Amino acid sequence: MIETVVTDNSLIARLIHHLELIYHETPLDITFEQLAQELMVLMRLEPEEDSAPPPHYNPWSQEDVILITYGDSFIPTEGVKEKPLEVLKHFLDEHCEGIINSVHILPFFPFSSDDGFAVIDFSSVNEGLGDWSHIYDIAQRYRLMGDLVINHCSSRSLWFQNFIKGEGPGHDYFFTASPEDDLKDVVRPRTSELLKEVETERGLQHVWCTFSHDQVDLDFTNPEVLKQFVSIIRQYLDMGVRIFRLDAVAFLWKKIGTSCINLEETHLIVRLLRLLIENAEREAVIITETNIPNRENLSYFGNANEAHCVYNFSLPPLLVNTLVTGNCHYLKMWMMSMPPAQNGTTYFNFIASHDGIGLRPVEGLLSDEETDSLIKTMQEFGGRVSWRALDSGEVRPYEINIALYDALQGTTKGPDDFGFQRFVCAHAIMLALEGIPGIYVHSMVGTHNDYDRMENSGHSRAINRHQWHYDEIEAELGSETSSHNRVFKALKKLLKIRQKQPAFHPNATQFTLHLGEAIFGFWRQSRDRTQSIFCITNVSDEAQPLQLSDINLIVTDSWVDLISGESLPEGDAMLTLEPYKTLWISNQVR
């Protein structure tokens, strides 16, 4: 290996420092300098160069919107010989041009379960979806977000088969424990047994399975595992991935006798990966997927040296709860508690995804009674509940599984005629918040609960993972009487307005307004302070009065609602907000 002179500010010096912190309790048969050199070779980096962007640099703007989709959310029309990834690109090019500039394609690798998150081979594209050329084509036109399923892999992977045989890559990649170990504090999102018995060439082993027995946890105390994932990251960068979603990263590092979640070594590995990724590609970012209580989730920002973005997991349950109760109290209290993200970081906002509406992120935010009422309402609207196990043997609700359009079909009083308005209102709030918005493809087209897919799969999450034949969705979006067309047009209008407003930059100033419990409001101001937008929403099913003096509009400016295009009356006028109406009141029209 080539000897390298280490200077205090060199990239290799910084890598060595990270590695010393991560592995200080782990005996290694390699020096930290040698390991740092190997990581740089894998990422094709020069040891003396540190080409990371300056501190607090952010490569995003108000034009950024991420569409969240499976590679086969749209499947070819019968008789058409195309791969689903080709069909997805048709949808993006034909329907999303000018409104969507980024796309999160959920795991597109060969898999054995969990709709892609039990990865068999991290280096290949699932043949049923397409190949790397299709991924690369999409990445040339849209900023591509890909999953780094870093905590575990499939029990059918070559790595795990080598673990059983005791030879080859993977033979020492998996975390094992004993049933006699102190595991009582381990935090998990599932009810299955934590340890899985496996007969190997070395005898009976108990492998660690945070999620399912088909998803076996990797052992990052072995630096060979780290090296494998750095190599995988380099390949994904070459194929066009620019946003890395670190799936289930909170569970990455294990220590017997601890909770095995959010451990310091996990945070240190995120910092190390950010350093490597930023040096390899200035515009690439990391998003941590940590579906955990809000305070713990925010810790993944570090000091602007860990995740560039964290999922705003508390937003979906709080916003849905607000709209079905007609009361924004809990949403407002949460908003006031959220620190502004410093430059170099921002929030990833979403209100629907391929998973359910998580309930752990509202622990300590919603009362038990409020959570129980939300669950009951969602079940009445056709939703299902997924559970997690406590160390006491009890089970607690982990998430609600339901399509967002159906979740917002009514209130705690039952279904009503405001479902469409409520659904659009939810997105108008989300799109105006500090951060980068992500829109689930089935929200974009107003897809309903898919009970057949859920029953056929045996998994509750499948209720919100419908597959559209492309000719069917084309027909719906082309029909003036279709609810899917109506939803798509409404969201498209909001997106077009949003991308022109500097006050909607992901790091623009945000303050919460106090307008009562039926009106939710907040103020955004552009970073150059030239544009203000007051975002005001009636979250109830009854008309609400709004006194303009309550939002303190500057009288020397002319104010316009960006959504309707209507000018606001001068002076201390009284407006009436119809149910679920949103105003984006701005002093500049763009």
Side-chain angles (χ1 to χ4, degrees):
M1 183 170 293
I2 298 173
E3 289 298 321
T4 305
V5 177
V6 179
T7 60
D8 288 343
N9 295 319
S10 66
L11 173 58
I12 192 169
R14 296 178 67 191
L15 288 173
I16 289 170
H17 176 66
H18 281 73
L19 293 169
E20 288 174 340
L21 293 174
I22 294 167
Y23 292 110
H24 70 282
E25 294 181 352
T26 306
L28 302 180
D29 57 6
I30 186 174
T31 69
F32 293 125
E33 183 174 350
Q34 288 172 328
L35 180 54
Q37 290 173 344
E38 290 184 11
L39 295 179
M40 287 188 296
V41 169
L42 290 169
M43 286 291 277
R44 302 199 295 273
L45 301 175
E46 294 297 326
E48 292 302 321
E49 294 182 12
D50 189 344
S51 54
H56 308 297
Y57 169 78
N58 57 46
W60 45 72
S61 76
Q62 65 271 17
E63 295 182 9
D64 290 318
V65 179
I66 301 175
L67 185 75
I68 306 165
T69 180
Y70 277 103
D72 58 358
S73 291
F74 302 108
I75 54 180
T77 301
E78 190 172 345
V80 175
K81 292 183 178 180
E82 283 188 313
K83 292 291 189 177
L85 286 171
E86 294 177 280
V87 180
L88 173 60
K89 190 168 187 298
H90 291 326
F91 176 80
L92 292 168
D93 293 347
E94 294 165 13
H95 296 288
C96 299
E97 187 174 7
I99 57 169
I100 298 290
N101 68 355
S102 306
V103 58
H104 173 201
I105 306 178
L106 287 151
F108 46 77
F109 320 105
F111 70 98
S112 55
S113 63
D114 198 16
D115 275 3
F117 287 94
V119 179
I120 293 175
D121 180 1
F122 291 93
S123 299
S124 301
V125 174
N126 183 347
E127 291 181 358
L129 299 178
D131 57 37
W132 279 117
S133 70
H134 301 126
I135 294 292
Y136 188 79
D137 285 347
I138 291 172
Q140 297 314 293
R141 190 159 184 180
Y142 305 91
R143 196 176 194 194
L144 180 60
M145 178 169 164
D147 285 278
L148 192 67
V149 185
I150 196 168
N151 179 69
H152 51 260
C153 70
S154 168
S155 64
R156 288 175 48 193
S157 66
L158 177 61
W159 287 352
F160 194 67
Q161 298 311 305
N162 286 345
F163 171 81
I164 293 172
K165 293 187 294 185
E167 60 184 27
H171 78 275
D172 56 355
Y173 285 8
F174 297 92
F175 195 85
T176 61
S178 166
E180 306 304 315
D181 287 335
D182 178 10
L183 305 177
K184 67 179 185 302
D185 294 328
V186 174
V187 173
R188 298 184 60 228
R190 299 289 185 271
T191 57
S192 57
E193 291 292 327
L194 174 63
L195 300 182
K196 171 186 176 180
E197 289 187 1
V198 180
E199 284 290 348
T200 74
E201 289 296 319
R202 299 181 301 277
L204 184 66
Q205 300 282 319
H206 292 85
V207 293
W208 193 284
C209 300
T210 297
F211 289 88
S212 79
H213 284 189
D214 187 40
Q215 293 164 290
V216 190
D217 283 39
L218 295 154
D219 182 5
F220 273 82
T221 65
N222 179 359
E224 291 299 317
V225 176
L226 174 64
K227 287 162 58 178
Q228 283 283 4
F229 274 90
V230 170
S231 177
I232 290 164
I233 288 169
R234 180 66 261 179
Q235 180 188 12
Y236 293 179
L237 283 168
D238 292 341
M239 291 296 105
V241 173
R242 291 296 177 265
I243 306 174
F244 289 85
R245 178 185 183 269
L246 303 192
D247 177 65
V249 69
F251 302 96
L252 189 70
W253 196 274
K254 287 86 174 171
K255 281 185 184 177
I256 303 301
T258 73
S259 65
C260 298
I261 187 172
N262 305 320
L263 299 187
E264 179 61 22
E265 290 84 353
T266 294
H267 287 277
L268 291 168
I269 287 177
V270 175
R271 292 176 201 170
L272 174 70
L273 295 180
R274 173 166 175 162
L275 179 62
L276 290 167
I277 288 171
E278 283 189 329
N279 270 275
E281 173 51 61
R282 183 185 180 94
E283 301 297 306
V285 300
I286 289 173
I287 296 182
T288 48
E289 188 270 332
T290 47
N291 193 353
I292 51 181
N294 192 54
R295 187 181 186 88
E296 298 166 27
N297 186 38
L298 293 175
S299 71
Y300 282 87
F301 277 142
N303 185 22
N305 61 353
E306 292 186 33
H308 297 84
C309 306
V310 299
Y311 271 77
N312 234 339
F313 274 111
S314 297
L315 179 60
L318 286 174
L319 185 50
V320 170
N321 182 71
T322 293
L323 293 171
V324 300
T325 62
N327 187 318
C328 66
H329 171 78
Y330 292 100
L331 180 62
K332 185 164 60 175
M333 292 301 102
W334 167 73
M335 280 269 289
M336 292 170 61
S337 72
M338 292 292 283
Q342 57 181 305
N343 277 331
T345 67
T346 194
Y347 295 103
F348 180 60
N349 296 323
F350 72 108
I351 48 178
S353 75
H354 63 292
D355 288 338
I357 299 170
L359 296 174
R360 288 216 70 203
V362 290
E363 291 177 8
L365 299 176
L366 289 182
S367 66
D368 289 345
E369 293 76 17
E370 199 80 11
T371 301
D372 290 343
S373 175
L374 175 62
I375 291 171
K376 180 175 180 291
T377 302
M378 295 299 99
Q379 287 175 319
E380 289 174 353
F381 294 163
R384 302 294 190 269
V385 179
S386 296
W387 303 84
R388 69 183 181 94
L390 304 182
D391 61 297
S392 63
E394 296 178 74
V395 293
R396 292 294 303 274
Y398 176 70
E399 68 179 15
I400 300 166
N401 304 116
I402 192 170
L404 184 64
Y405 198 86
D406 288 328
L408 296 175
Q409 65 183 269
T411 68
T412 53
K413 296 176 286 189
D416 59 26
D417 294 329
F418 291 115
F420 170 77
Q421 292 88 338
R422 198 177 286 112
F423 183 81
V424 174
C425 162
H427 286 86
I429 291 173
M430 187 265 285
L431 289 173
L433 289 172
E434 174 190 357
I436 298 171
I439 301 182
Y440 188 37
V441 68
H442 291 303
S443 294
M444 196 73 192
V445 298
T447 307
H448 293 278
N449 290 335
D450 189 335
Y451 298 108
D452 289 340
R453 188 170 175 82
M454 181 184 69
E455 295 299 328
N456 291 336
S457 71
H459 299 292
S460 296
R461 282 180 167 178
I463 197 172
N464 194 27
R465 298 177 179 178
H466 182 70
Q467 287 182 312
W468 283 97
H469 281 91
Y470 198 59
D471 58 338
E472 294 175 352
I473 193 61
E474 284 275 85
E476 292 291 345
L477 296 181
S479 169
E480 292 300 322
T481 60
S482 167
S483 64
H484 304 288
N485 173 282
R486 189 182 183 200
V487 165
F488 189 80
K489 280 187 173 179
L491 297 191
K492 187 173 182 178
K493 175 183 176 180
L494 292 176
L495 288 167
K496 283 186 172 181
I497 296 170
R498 181 189 190 279
Q499 63 185 198
K500 297 177 183 177
Q501 316 307 323
F504 285 156
H505 185 282
N507 292 106
T509 299
Q510 176 174 288
F511 283 110
T512 308
L513 304 177
H514 298 275
L515 302 170
E517 295 188 332
I519 297 180
F520 179 62
F522 53 98
W523 172 68
R524 303 294 309 277
Q525 184 184 57
S526 60
R527 295 189 297 170
D528 63 4
R529 301 185 179 182
T530 60
Q531 184 186 35
S532 287
I533 302 179
F534 291 86
C535 308
I536 312 294
T537 299
N538 176 4
V539 297
S540 76
D541 58 0
E542 297 180 359
Q544 300 292 330
L546 174 67
Q547 194 84 33
L548 286 184
S549 59
D550 289 342
I551 56 175
N552 198 27
L553 301 179
I554 299 173
V555 295
T556 55
D557 288 350
S558 298
W559 296 90
V560 174
D561 170 31
L562 297 172
I563 297 176
S564 68
E566 297 176 0
S567 297
L568 268 70
E570 296 181 359
D572 186 18
M574 177 76 77
L575 301 182
T576 298
L577 294 181
E578 297 302 317
Y580 308 108
K581 183 177 179 64
T582 294
L583 305 175
W584 286 347
I585 303 171
S586 177
N587 60 344
Q588 292 184 9
V589 179
R590 294 174 181 261

